[in-house]
Amino acid sequence: MPAKVGAVKVINLSSSSIFNIGDVYSMSPDSSAKTYAGGGSFNTGDGIRVHLGNSKTYVYDPDKVDQPVN
């Protein structure tokens, strides 16, 4: 059934948003991110002990693109 839409005022859309007016069959947003973090950065839970000494995170990426998003 066709959609009937009145006046629409868009105040703000973030970079990963989808905005649609009317009928739509499928919507699939694409986004990508690359995260660099040192050892033990994403540990979660109660009573975690991490002993790393000297920890280095290398962020040099010569190929620039790991997996393209179309």
Side-chain angles (χ1 to χ4, degrees):
M1 173 171 263
K4 294 183 180 181
V5 180
V8 175
K9 182 177 182 179
V10 178
I11 302 298
N12 189 14
L13 288 175
S14 69
S15 61
S16 61
S17 298
I18 292 181
F19 178 74
N20 178 60
I21 296 178
D23 296 335
V24 66
Y25 173 74
S26 176
M27 296 174 72
S28 57
D30 289 332
S31 67
S32 63
K34 185 180 287 190
T35 303
Y36 297 105
S41 295
F42 298 114
N43 292 332
T44 58
D46 295 331
I48 291 178
R49 295 180 186 174
V50 178
H51 303 282
L52 295 173
N54 281 338
S55 176
K56 295 181 180 179
T57 301
Y58 297 101
V59 297
Y60 175 69
D61 188 10
D63 62 355
K64 306 289 185 237
V65 176
D66 294 324
Q67 184 173 356
V69 176
N70 295 331

